[in-house]
Amino acid sequence: RVHQLIMATCHQAEPEGCDAALVVDIDLAILGAAPERFEAYDRNVRKEYRAVPGFLYRRKRREVLRAFLDLPRIYRTAPAHDALEANARVNLQAALSRLAA
């Protein structure tokens, strides 16, 4: 079961069950963090992928961020949705704008 919960954080499919939905929401909580915290996280993601050429990183990162932004709901549980959804959408859009610059 633990393996299934961890694999749910790959975001390849809709999480199955309440536990998986909660784990996915926890995994995505950073998207709804305060803007300065999200920006620090976003910079750290780039550092993690520093070996990837800039043009490729920007293209792939845009795809990932856009995929979350295109979801009807980023967060599956009501408390996470209510607390984080709006801020996550603002953060994702800001990150996409930075990548386009």
Side-chain angles (χ1 to χ4, degrees), residues 23-48:
V23 169
V24 168
D25 282 356
I26 291 167
D27 184 52
L28 298 178
I30 189 63
L31 301 179
E36 55 279 353
R37 175 64 188 102
F38 176 78
E39 287 178 33
Y41 159 79
D42 207 33
R43 285 190 304 272
N44 287 332
V45 170
R46 179 60 182 128
K47 288 178 188 173
E48 183 179 347

Side-chain angles (χ1 to χ4, degrees), residues 2-100:
V2 171
H3 179 263
Q4 291 172 327
L5 294 174
I6 292 169
M7 294 310 294
T9 65
C10 292
H11 311 287
Q12 299 296 324
E14 190 66 28
E16 294 183 25
C18 296
D19 291 345
L22 180 60
V23 169
V24 168
D25 282 356
I26 291 167
D27 184 52
L28 298 178
I30 189 63
L31 301 179
E36 55 279 353
R37 175 64 188 102
F38 176 78
E39 287 178 33
Y41 159 79
D42 207 33
R43 285 190 304 272
N44 287 332
V45 170
R46 179 60 182 128
K47 288 178 188 173
E48 183 179 347
Y49 289 92
R50 66 182 155 266
V52 177
F55 76 95
L56 182 58
Y57 174 81
R58 286 187 300 278
R59 186 176 81 216
K60 291 300 191 177
R61 186 72 175 149
R62 280 193 305 264
E63 288 175 13
V64 168
L65 298 178
R66 174 59 55 196
F68 286 120
L69 200 52
D70 287 346
L71 291 170
R73 283 178 67 117
I74 296 169
Y75 299 100
R76 295 353 189 257
T77 65
H81 177 76
D82 294 347
L84 302 171
E85 185 85 17
N87 212 36
R89 292 190 177 280
V90 169
N91 286 336
L92 290 167
Q93 192 58 58
L96 285 167
S97 294
R98 286 190 300 274
L99 288 167

